[in-house]
């Protein structure tokens, strides 16, 4: 392990990054997805590497979990369950695993689908706490934590298959309801009407907490790639922004407020205050303009874009490099008192992961290629970014922080963004 506080070597115009650690994660096996959470309650986040099974074609049947490996920020392997498989599948679909305190006892658990069962593991040790049958053999595309029952603590679980069905379970893992439709990649749950129970945006359909249809999006093709909730226009109420064949915004009652037709496939979206001088929130997006996996033999290409609160295009990238698999997300408080930034990674053709501001300027570039996760790892009030490959997790910060808990022994909270981890980043901005 390489542990250093030295600043990187930024390109001209970039702000300096501080590489806090380089952690050897190769023991987890290849093609893992990283989850973050304070698994042992010591005041620092741990890294949970989730390896998928060796299913190679996940277009119709999604992954289960092959192996889980928990590392601390000092590079120690804390526990591992399952056996890493060199032939594990790739991130063509979500991995069914989350970190969350599902029983409300103050300690985090790991929820996963492994060996055809829904398993709940003790976060600190990886020991199995409970094992449950799946409601259906293919109910393992992803795991959504929800509050459908009106409890003080979200304790319901939604499972789904690849594209068509949802199963809602209560805290005792008893079936509440099922839904069949065009459910998209990762349904987002949010209490839109303030009644203490979550509604479920299941692809293009909004369901109430009992699974009944409230309204549906209109004139949209394909499926919902990503879903976000926030007070975009500053009216004090939540809006829903849907990315799919186009980018469209609805109010909570299903009224379409605007539609952006300047994209071919809005694969990823992110809401944030990227331009503090503008009213409301801005919508960053990724337009997958040309795919390489459709059998047409074309060179893939994508482009980032940014919209204002009314859906007006502020800018759209004109790429001079190849690449069509970019993921974008919103990073908040990377530097104290800074605006939100657009984190873009998996850009292709040697384009390194980077942070971009609301003017399309690159403000910082990371030194490694790889996937990215971000969160407040130390309780510092700022976020750190981890760029990771099959072998290495590089931890970056905007300031030279020691790798120590700010409040030792005080468990870090697990925000909804971290217990709703998905390959298709959705999210919400607090009202």
């Amino acid at each position: 392990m390489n542990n250093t506080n030295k600043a990187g070597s930024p390109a001209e115009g970039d702000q300096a990054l501080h590489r806090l650690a380089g952690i050897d994660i190769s023991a987890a096996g290849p093609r893992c997805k990283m989850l973050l959470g304070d698994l042992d309650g010591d005041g620092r986040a741990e890294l949970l590497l989730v390896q998928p099974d060796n299913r190679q074609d996940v277009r119709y049947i999604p992954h289960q979990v092959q192996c889980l490996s928990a590392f601390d920020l000092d590079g120690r392997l804390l526990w591992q369950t399952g056996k890493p498989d060199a032939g594990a599948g790739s991130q063509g679909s979500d991995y069914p695993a989350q970190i969350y305190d599902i029983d409300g006892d103050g300690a985090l658990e790991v929820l996963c689908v492994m060996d055809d069962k829904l398993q709940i593991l003790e976060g600190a040790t990886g020991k199995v706490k409970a094992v449950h049958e799946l409601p259906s053999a293919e109910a393992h595309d992803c795991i959504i934590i929800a509050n459908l029952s009106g409890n003080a603590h979200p304790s319901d679980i939604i499972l789904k298959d690849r594209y068509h069905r949802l199963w809602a379970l209560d805290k005792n893992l008893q079936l509440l309801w099922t839904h069949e439709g065009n459910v998209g990649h990762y349904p987002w749950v949010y209490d839109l009407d303030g009644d203490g129970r979550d509604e479920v945006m299941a692809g293009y359909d909004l369901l109430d907490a009992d699974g009944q249809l409230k309204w549906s999006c209109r004139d949209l093709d394909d499926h919902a790639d990503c879903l976000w909730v926030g007070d975009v226009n500053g009216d004090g109420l939540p809006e829903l922004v849907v990315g799919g064949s186009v980018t469209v915004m609805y109010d909570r009652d299903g009224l379409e407020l605007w539609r952006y037709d300047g994209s071919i496939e809005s694969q990823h979206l992110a809401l944030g205050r990227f331009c503090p001088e503008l009213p409301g929130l801005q919508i960053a997006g990724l337009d997958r303009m040309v795919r390489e996996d459709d059998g047409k033999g074309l060179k893939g290409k994508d482009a980032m874009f940014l919209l204002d609160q009314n859906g007006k295009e502020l800018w759209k990238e004109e790429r001079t490099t190849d690449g069509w698999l970019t993921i974008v997300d919103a990073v908040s408080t990377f530097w104290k008192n800074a605006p939100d930034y657009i984190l873009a990674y998996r850009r292709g053709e040697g384009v390194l992961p980077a942070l971009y501001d609301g003017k399309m300027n690159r403000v910082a570039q990371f030194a490694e290629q790889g996937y990215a996760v971000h969160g407040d790892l130390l309780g510092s009030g700022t976020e750190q970014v981890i760029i990771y490959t099959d072998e290495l997790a590089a931890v970056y910060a905007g300031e030279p922080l020691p790798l120590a808990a700010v409040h030792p022994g005080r468990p870090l909270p697990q925000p909804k963004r971290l217990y709703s981890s998905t390959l298709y980043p959705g999210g919400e901005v607090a009202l």
Side-chain angles (χ1 to χ4, degrees):
M1 172 188 164
N2 175 25
N3 190 352
T4 177
N5 283 328
K6 292 182 180 179
S9 300
E12 184 177 353
D14 285 356
Q15 296 195 47
L17 295 171
H18 298 269
R19 193 174 188 269
L20 305 185
I23 301 170
D24 181 357
I25 56 172
S26 58
R31 292 175 287 284
C32 289
K33 176 182 176 181
M34 183 181 291
L35 306 183
L36 300 176
D38 187 0
L39 293 172
D40 57 9
D42 66 349
R44 295 197 310 175
E46 280 73 47
L47 319 180
L48 182 68
L49 278 298
V50 182
Q51 190 189 48
D53 60 16
N54 63 4
R55 181 179 294 279
Q56 302 302 314
D57 185 351
V58 291
R59 290 175 297 170
Y60 309 109
I61 300 175
H63 286 301
Q64 295 190 36
V65 172
Q66 168 68 26
C67 183
L68 297 167
S69 306
F71 294 84
D72 68 14
L73 291 174
D74 298 316
R76 289 185 289 263
L77 178 61
L78 302 179
W79 55 263
Q80 185 174 71
T81 184
K83 184 178 180 181
D85 183 352
S90 64
Q91 293 201 26
S93 70
D94 263 322
Y95 298 179
Q98 300 289 3
I99 300 174
Y100 180 65
D101 179 12
I102 191 66
D103 56 14
D105 67 351
L108 293 177
E109 285 81 41
V110 176
L111 292 77
C112 69
V113 177
M114 198 171 188
D115 299 326
D116 299 315
K117 300 287 193 298
L118 176 60
Q119 302 194 27
I120 300 175
L121 312 181
E122 189 176 83
T125 66
K127 293 180 180 177
V128 176
K129 296 182 70 172
V131 178
H132 300 272
E133 297 292 330
L134 295 174
S136 175
E138 295 180 11
H140 52 79
D141 180 65
C142 59
I143 297 173
I144 300 112
I145 309 298
N147 189 355
L148 306 173
S149 304
N151 298 319
H153 176 80
S155 54
D156 304 309
I157 294 172
I158 299 174
L159 301 175
K160 68 181 285 284
D161 65 9
R162 192 70 175 102
Y163 286 114
H164 303 294
R165 296 187 69 191
L166 302 180
W167 293 264
L169 311 173
D170 68 13
K171 64 180 181 180
N172 298 312
L173 282 300
Q174 298 300 304
L175 185 67
L176 293 171
W177 48 262
T178 63
H179 171 74
E180 189 164 348
N182 183 1
V183 299
H185 282 305
Y186 192 88
W188 197 260
V189 297
Y190 191 92
D191 182 9
L192 292 167
D193 57 12
D195 68 349
R197 304 170 73 201
D198 285 335
E199 282 73 43
V200 182
M201 193 65 192
Y204 293 150
D205 295 331
L206 183 72
L207 312 178
D208 68 15
D210 297 314
Q212 298 300 306
L213 180 66
K214 297 189 73 170
W215 53 263
S216 297
C217 301
R218 294 167 293 280
D219 302 319
L220 296 178
D221 298 325
D222 300 322
H223 55 258
D225 286 308
C226 50
L227 303 164
W228 277 78
V229 179
D231 181 11
V232 176
N233 57 17
D235 65 355
L237 299 173
E239 286 83 42
L240 298 103
V241 183
V242 180
S245 55
V246 296
T247 305
V248 61
M249 187 168 88
Y250 291 88
D251 72 11
R252 63 180 181 173
D253 297 315
L255 175 66
E256 183 176 316
L257 300 177
W258 53 255
R259 176 177 294 230
Y260 171 66
D261 292 315
S263 59
I264 296 171
E265 180 187 357
S266 292
Q267 181 70 15
H268 299 287
L269 297 175
L271 301 190
R273 295 177 178 87
F274 306 112
C275 303
E277 72 278 7
L278 296 181
L281 302 177
Q282 295 79 54
I283 300 93
L286 190 284
D287 182 14
R288 185 172 286 174
M289 299 182 294
V290 182
R291 301 183 67 102
E292 283 189 11
D293 62 352
D294 57 6
K296 296 180 180 179
L298 300 175
K299 193 73 172 176
K301 192 167 188 178
D302 61 26
M304 296 189 295
F305 61 85
L306 189 69
L307 311 178
D308 70 8
Q309 64 172 358
N310 299 311
K312 178 184 176 182
E313 183 182 294
L314 297 172
W315 51 260
K316 187 169 185 179
E317 183 183 31
E318 295 184 7
R319 289 196 67 173
T320 58
T321 56
D322 293 327
W324 67 288
L325 296 172
T326 301
I327 296 175
V328 298
D329 200 358
V331 172
S332 300
T333 62
F334 187 75
W335 290 282
K336 290 182 179 178
N337 303 315
D340 296 336
Y341 293 106
I342 303 164
L343 171 63
Y345 57 98
R346 210 172 65 155
R347 304 230 66 193
E349 203 184 86
V351 181
L352 291 167
L355 297 174
Y356 298 84
D357 66 15
K359 301 293 192 297
M360 202 170 58
N361 299 311
R362 192 185 74 197
V363 297
Q365 179 174 267
F366 302 95
E368 293 90 359
Q369 288 285 10
Y371 281 83
V373 292
H374 58 97
D376 184 353
L377 306 179
L378 306 167
S380 65
T382 57
E383 286 199 325
Q384 293 76 51
V385 173
I386 302 177
I387 307 295
Y388 66 97
T389 65
D390 289 348
E391 293 82 26
L392 179 73
V395 183
Y396 286 94
E399 55 185 326
L401 298 170
L403 270 182
V406 174
H407 303 288
R410 183 192 300 176
L412 292 176
Q414 185 72 345
K416 184 175 179 179
R417 185 181 63 78
L418 292 185
Y419 69 73
S420 305
S421 178
T422 171
L423 180 63
Y424 310 91
E428 60 191 53
V429 177
L431 298 186

